[in-house]
Amino acid sequence: MNKITREKGQFKVVGTRVKRPDGIDKVTGRAQYGADLVVPGMLTGAILRSPHAHATINSIDTSEALALPGVKAVVTRADFAALDDDEMIDIADNCLARDKVLYHGHAVAGVAAKDAQTARKALKLIKVDYTPLPHVTDVDAAMKPGAPVVQSGRQEENVQPEHSENVTGYCEFGHGDVEAGFAKADHIIERDFKTAAAHQGYIEPHACLASMTNDGKADLWCCTQGQFNVRSLCSAILDMEASQLRVTASEIGGGFGGKTTVFIEPVALALSRKSGRPVKIVMTRDEVFRATGPTVSSSSTVKIGMTKDGRITAAHAKFRYQGGAFPCATYSFGAQAAFAAYDLEAVKSEGWNALTNRPKEAAYRAPGAPMAIYAVESVVDELTQHFGLDPLEVRLKNAARENTKAAYGPTFDQIGLVATLEAAQKHPHYSAPLGENQGRGVSCGFWFNFGGNTCVTMNLNDDGTVGITEGNPDIGGSRASISMMAAEELGIPYSDVRTIIADTSSLGHNDVTDGSRVTFAVGLATIEAARDAIRKMCGRVAKIWGIDEDAVIWEDGYAKPSGPNAGDFEPMSIKEIAAISSNTGGPIAGHYEVNADGAGVSFGVHLADVEVDPETGYTQVIRYTVFQDAGKAVHPDYVEGQMQGGAVQGIGWALNEEYIYGEDGVLQNAGFLDYRVPVASDLPEIDTVILEIPNPGHPYGVRGVGETSIVPPLAALSNAVSRAAGVRLHELPMSPPKILKAITDRG
Amino acid sequence: MKKIHVTTKVNGDEVEFLCPPEETLLDALRDRLGFSGAKEGCGTGDCGACSVTLNGRLVCSCLVLGAEAEGAEISTVEGLAHGGELHPLQQSFIDNAALQCGICTPGILVAAKALLERNPDPSDSEIRYWLAGNLCRCTGYDKIIKAVKIAAAEMRGETA
């Protein structure tokens, strides 16, 4: 259904580059993040973590720790409620281990003390008796029969019997006769790929402050992408009624999917309940690396057949993901996203998830898609090279369009892939000359996008300005975008609107800030809440004028008679309506709630130029351009920011970032010195081209833009490096030693 | 061990605090003096979110002891604006969308100000290398570099 009510040329506020409402607080140090809140009587909490990759917990003795002066409470898994839902048990087990520790750094106990020094001392006094067990951290090793079993009894019925018990899930997508398709190909390439686990790398470590009183009421302040989800999880784990737990989201110092669950929050609540005092817990960076995030690591096999003029005849991919010690569904997103960019007659995409002794995977920007599309786009590129064809021409020839049946099932509506590819083709970057040891890589990217549960309230203030109350933490400038859409719909200036993020007691449930859903779904609900208020304002004016409600229309911030037949009345401004609202029926507010669908998928194309030093294997990115369909770009600066930020995270993943495990199952690089995210001097400018193909599922045509941008860099970089080095690479990250070895092996 | 009494100046104002000998300047600023603009992103000097200047020198305050601040002059992000007027760097970061989540912003502003005091007309490369110790995970740095350049030009009086 086409919901578009306002199109190009009709926008006054949307599409401009207004200043963000949180700007001054953030540049002056006033903004309050997770670790910044201080309350009277506050204790400091700390977490004891497993020194083993895998071990049985025989006993935990907390008596000495409790006897230390200044220690006010110690909690273990026994302090959590009995749970019966598998997913909830997993979340609770990850917050505090139950019978076994499942990875190095797994939380075992929590302490609250008068200060940080005392809390740290107390951790050393907790005696845990462990029996170490064999461990496994590699996905392929974990899938083999005879591998150490991380958790038993978690396998779904459709998993093939040849795999170990660690394999929890299997999925298959596709259509057409793949074997017949391969028979039509002029050339077939099949390759194996590996990608390392990458951490979201938000600069703000997880932090929270919990305060529970002995009547069972609690307040929780934390940095999260979803305060309502935190409330659902914590109230279940602590056996509380949701109404008694108020969760307030602090300013959030980055999330990228990694702050969509709980880690320390239930522990802080349990410590507060036991000690009768507010408890603050702030993770160290070491804890963030060892016990939160990262995304999955993968092993995959991709086989694609192509005719000599560049048409793909068939494709078959197998994706094996590990998401740590608990089952996850990321493999399924990868298998579904893999071939989304292509219009294929015959395609099969399979996925498996395996348990390993690593931290529980958390969502990371387009979870599952980057590693799958990396493998697919690498094989497409190699075929293109084989036939001597133009990489963008081949992609255009096979590109998904409106009415293409996607490999994962649905038939696409209006999508922007072709426009994006054509923009890349026309861009001067694509025809710029390359020097010695330089290569240019291309990749498509895709993400589904999401809508979800959303509610928004719009309050008309007595001076005619407007307050928007929404429930999604702002991680990329969404308060500005939401205010802009409200101003647009109401026909008032942006400066007359203020948007705030409500706590869980002030608004109905809102899903987590994820799936690139906020500008789309919260925007849609904001526009509808504004329309609700407009209907009420028109109703009030109709009464004053003594005419039918239908005879009053809303235009540019004024209620007006709908036409000459409605009568001759002076239009009433929103300010006039607000000023007399107490005489016309009381305060005016609009509200809307929805489980939004129609998010509209998103495609992007990246061009990357690199120079590879043949003596060291070091790669320098020398030019980078991102092309992405944003639907209507509400705030172009912030859309560009998403495109640039995602691209650079992808560049880091492609070139540097990886979880490195020792033989002992211990993460060897749990810090920013050794887990190297890109720094400013690593990078060139990141050029951006926004395409605006309206999404029919949103009144203004908005699509989510936050995630797609991390998908193409992996293959774009790998394709560029492979062309620059004259040798194909099949493993990420492409660190200098790996590239040097590939160059040396090539001879 | 007994706490140490420290007298120092933060953003021009004399302050005193007591801290254990092992306490970092970052913790003293945040927890004892209420200057929570400096953030702890790593505690190991790798991310730059805790950047302040100590006697004019740019430091990671997580790598300095609180006791070392005795008799020193410290500048934090809270001291950048004059009254209600933002520093040109602060204004430029807002105008040019150089921040998303904002957690790295205080450290980057303090570091960029220190750069412009030494080099009022830095090239893109000079800005990128100077800020290489300040991690930002949201922006990809592009708009940060541009915002610093624009602020530098304004501070040189080259733009309105």
Side-chain angles (χ1 to χ4, degrees):
Chain A
M1 192 183 69
N2 194 330
K3 293 183 188 163
I4 294 176
T5 55
R6 201 168 295 214
E7 293 177 332
K8 207 172 173 180
Q10 297 180 320
F11 294 106
K12 292 194 170 77
V13 181
V14 164
T16 62
R17 299 178 190 244
V18 299
K19 287 168 199 171
R20 58 191 304 152
D22 48 327
I24 291 183
D25 282 349
K26 286 181 174 172
V27 299
T28 54
R30 248 180 273 186
Q32 287 213 300
Y33 294 84
D36 294 340
L37 189 65
V38 172
V39 298
M42 187 176 86
L43 300 174
T44 300
I47 309 278
L48 180 71
R49 297 184 179 276
S50 166
H52 301 288
H54 194 193
T56 305
I57 300 172
N58 302 315
S59 63
I60 304 175
D61 179 0
T62 62
S63 55
E64 267 188 63
L66 275 167
L68 183 72
V71 172
K72 306 297 180 188
V74 179
V75 296
T76 65
R77 182 66 168 77
D79 291 283
F80 288 169
L83 300 160
D84 46 21
D85 173 72
D86 270 354
E87 204 178 328
M88 278 307 309
I89 292 171
D90 284 348
I91 290 166
D93 284 355
N94 194 39
C95 293
L96 285 175
R98 191 159 34 118
D99 307 322
K100 292 206 294 182
V101 286
L102 300 171
Y103 55 92
H104 181 267
H106 193 168
V108 176
V111 167
K114 68 182 172 85
D115 54 33
Q117 289 90 335
T118 310
R120 281 198 294 268
K121 247 183 238 168
L123 291 183
K124 291 184 185 151
L125 297 175
I126 298 173
K127 300 272 179 293
V128 186
D129 182 35
Y130 294 106
T131 303
L133 298 167
H135 64 270
V136 61
T137 55
D138 177 74
V139 61
D140 293 321
M143 289 177 73
K144 284 201 184 101
V149 175
V150 179
Q151 288 199 60
S152 59
R154 304 306 299 273
Q155 194 163 68
E156 287 170 16
E157 283 171 8
N158 64 344
V159 174
Q160 303 83 347
E162 68 263 29
H163 299 301
S164 82
E165 210 179 338
N166 289 323
V167 179
T168 55
Y170 170 74
C171 64
E172 185 184 326
F173 300 92
H175 55 250
D177 184 339
V178 174
E179 287 317 310
F182 282 123
K184 287 185 219 160
D186 292 316
H187 190 65
I188 297 168
I189 288 180
E190 180 174 353
R191 296 282 180 255
D192 295 325
F193 298 89
K194 284 207 122 176
T195 66
H199 197 277
Q200 294 80 353
Y202 31 81
I203 306 301
E204 180 199 30
H206 298 261
C208 69
L209 201 165
S211 180
M212 198 186 292
T213 45
N214 63 8
D215 56 358
K217 283 205 298 287
D219 283 281
L220 177 65
W221 159 274
C222 58
C223 54
T224 177
Q225 290 176 240
Q227 63 274 40
F228 294 91
N229 184 49
V230 169
R231 181 179 67 176
S232 304
L233 301 177
C234 288
S235 57
I237 292 171
L238 276 294
D239 194 21
M240 298 174 69
E241 281 169 19
S243 62
Q244 300 309 304
L245 174 58
R246 183 175 66 149
V247 183
T248 305
S250 70
E251 287 294 340
I252 178 170
F256 315 108
K259 290 177 182 167
T260 53
T261 183
V262 294
F263 299 101
I264 50 177
E265 295 82 357
V267 182
L269 282 164
L271 285 167
S272 179
R273 178 161 64 188
K274 246 184 168 168
S275 64
R277 301 261 294 266
V279 175
K280 178 165 163 177
I281 301 181
V282 180
M283 277 197 187
T284 63
R285 179 55 53 183
D286 184 84
E287 288 180 291
V288 172
F289 273 113
R290 291 191 196 284
T292 73
T295 186
V296 303
S297 68
S298 77
S299 156
S300 56
T301 307
V302 172
K303 181 179 175 184
I304 299 177
M306 195 180 270
T307 60
K308 58 180 185 292
D309 63 346
R311 186 76 179 105
I312 297 171
T313 60
H316 183 188
K318 297 176 181 184
F319 300 106
R320 299 166 290 270
Y321 288 7
Q322 72 72 31
F326 301 89
C328 69
T330 308
Y331 69 107
S332 155
F333 301 146
Q336 291 180 74
F339 294 105
Y342 296 113
D343 180 5
L344 303 174
E345 271 181 28
V347 56
K348 184 173 174 181
S349 186
E350 299 175 273
W352 290 265
N353 179 66
L355 301 178
T356 60
N357 295 110
R358 293 188 185 216
K360 186 179 197 293
E361 169 259 17
Y364 182 22
R365 215 168 193 157
M371 41 300 237
I373 289 176
Y374 152 70
V376 168
E377 288 290 296
S378 293
V379 175
V380 169
D381 197 62
E382 195 176 344
L383 281 161
T384 305
Q385 263 187 316
H386 173 83
F387 289 119
L389 298 169
D390 177 83
L392 284 176
E393 278 296 334
V394 167
R395 284 169 175 84
L396 270 169
K397 189 166 269 186
N398 295 284
R401 293 157 196 268
E402 192 170 354
N403 297 323
T404 290
K405 183 175 164 51
Y408 66 97
T411 299
F412 286 131
D413 209 317
Q414 266 181 285
I415 56 170
L417 177 60
V418 168
T420 312
L421 285 163
E422 286 171 350
Q425 225 172 8
K426 278 184 237 140
H427 195 276
H429 181 167
Y430 197 56
S431 50
L434 288 167
E436 202 185 347
N437 299 317
Q438 296 181 350
R440 177 166 299 141
V442 172
S443 176
C444 298
F446 161 84
W447 185 243
F448 308 94
N449 289 338
F450 180 59
N453 293 295
T454 309
C455 70
V456 169
T457 294
M458 191 214 100
N459 288 302
L460 181 64
N461 303 322
D462 55 13
D463 64 352
T465 62
V466 163
I468 300 287
T469 305
E470 52 123 328
N472 278 91
D474 174 355
I475 53 178
S478 57
R479 272 167 293 195
S481 310
I482 299 308
S483 291
M484 290 170 84
M485 285 184 267
E488 186 75 54
E489 194 62 30
L490 292 164
I492 61 175
Y494 167 74
S495 55
D496 281 2
V497 184
R498 180 162 183 183
T499 296
I500 63 120
I501 319 290
D503 63 62
T504 55
S505 298
S506 306
L507 192 67
H509 175 91
N510 278 268
D511 285 344
V512 169
T513 295
D514 70 358
S516 300
R517 71 174 217 92
V518 175
T519 309
F520 166 74
V522 180
L524 182 150
T526 299
I527 292 164
E528 292 294 349
R531 288 174 181 173
D532 185 34
I534 286 169
R535 274 189 296 275
K536 289 170 185 165
M537 290 191 283
C538 288
R540 301 283 179 96
V541 172
K543 265 191 211 161
I544 296 168
W545 289 342
I547 62 175
D548 283 350
E549 279 188 27
D550 296 353
V552 181
I553 57 159
W554 190 263
E555 229 175 60
D556 297 330
Y558 285 82
K560 298 175 180 175
S562 60
N565 295 339
D568 185 18
F569 301 101
E570 196 62 28
M572 279 187 81
S573 73
I574 192 168
K575 289 194 191 318
E576 292 170 286
I577 296 165
I580 58 165
S581 64
S582 63
N583 301 328
T584 61
I588 296 171
H591 186 79
Y592 193 72
E593 60 268 312
V594 65
N595 185 356
D597 56 13
V601 301
S602 161
F603 285 96
V605 173
H606 291 197
L607 294 181
D609 291 0
V610 302
E611 182 168 322
V612 175
D613 183 339
E615 310 224 325
T616 62
Y618 172 74
T619 300
Q620 180 74 47
V621 182
I622 52 177
R623 187 167 182 179
Y624 203 99
T625 311
V626 179
F627 305 83
Q628 190 173 314
D629 170 20
K632 179 63 199 169
V634 177
H635 192 305
D637 275 345
Y638 302 158
V639 171
E640 289 163 11
Q642 292 298 313
M643 290 159 71
Q644 293 168 327
V648 167
Q649 286 186 319
I651 290 170
W653 198 345
L655 296 178
N656 298 317
E657 297 178 33
E658 65 178 313
Y659 264 45
I660 302 171
Y661 280 90
E663 290 293 313
D664 54 1
V666 175
L667 180 64
Q668 295 185 327
N669 59 334
F672 277 137
L673 190 62
D674 298 318
Y675 181 97
R676 197 174 179 291
V677 305
V679 303
S681 56
D682 292 338
L683 297 159
E685 279 182 43
I686 307 293
D687 199 2
T688 53
V689 177
I690 301 173
L691 285 298
E692 293 188 297
I693 290 82
N695 167 26
H698 184 280
Y700 298 167
V702 169
R703 284 177 208 273
V705 297
E707 287 164 289
T708 300
S709 55
I710 200 173
V711 179
L714 281 59
L717 267 290
S718 184
N719 294 339
V721 169
S722 297
R723 285 166 184 263
V727 56
R728 252 307 130 182
L729 286 123
H730 303 104
E731 195 176 324
L732 301 183
M734 297 177 290
S735 52
K738 277 189 208 153
I739 294 178
L740 195 59
K741 183 173 184 305
I743 293 172
T744 314
D745 291 351
R746 178 202 65 191
Chain B
M1 198 183 283
K2 270 174 78 175
K3 286 184 177 172
I4 296 170
H5 177 261
V6 179
T7 307
T8 187
K9 263 189 182 173
V10 181
N11 303 326
D13 292 330
E14 192 168 288
V15 293
E16 291 173 80
F17 61 88
L18 291 173
C19 71
E22 74 275 19
E23 183 166 294
T24 65
L25 175 59
L26 174 61
D27 284 346
L29 284 170
R30 288 178 57 84
D31 301 340
R32 301 194 188 276
L33 299 173
F35 291 98
S36 59
K39 308 297 178 190
E40 179 165 322
C42 67
T44 50
D46 298 316
C47 79
C50 66
S51 298
V52 300
T53 59
L54 182 71
N55 296 327
R57 191 163 71 94
L58 181 65
V59 295
C60 288
S61 60
C62 73
L63 297 184
V64 177
L65 292 172
E68 291 180 80
E70 175 63 36
E73 293 204 18
I74 296 164
S75 296
T76 71
V77 70
E78 287 92 344
L80 245 57
H82 283 289
E85 198 180 331
L86 296 179
H87 186 279
L89 276 164
Q90 292 174 310
Q91 192 60 51
S92 181
F93 269 53
I94 296 174
D95 293 348
N96 298 293
L99 59 104
Q100 286 180 32
C101 83
I103 194 88
C104 70
T105 307
I108 290 187
L109 288 168
V110 168
K113 180 168 177 273
L115 167 66
L116 299 186
E117 279 163 5
R118 284 157 183 76
N119 179 357
D121 189 12
S123 68
D124 278 21
S125 259
E126 285 170 330
I127 300 171
R128 284 183 181 275
Y129 277 90
W130 183 269
L131 294 179
N134 292 83
L135 301 182
C136 168
R137 193 62 160 168
C138 292
T139 65
Y141 304 103
D142 196 279
K143 292 186 191 298
I144 291 175
I145 308 303
K146 291 192 171 88
V148 173
K149 274 200 94 142
I150 291 167
E154 196 195 319
M155 287 164 72
R156 294 193 306 271
E158 287 172 19
T159 49

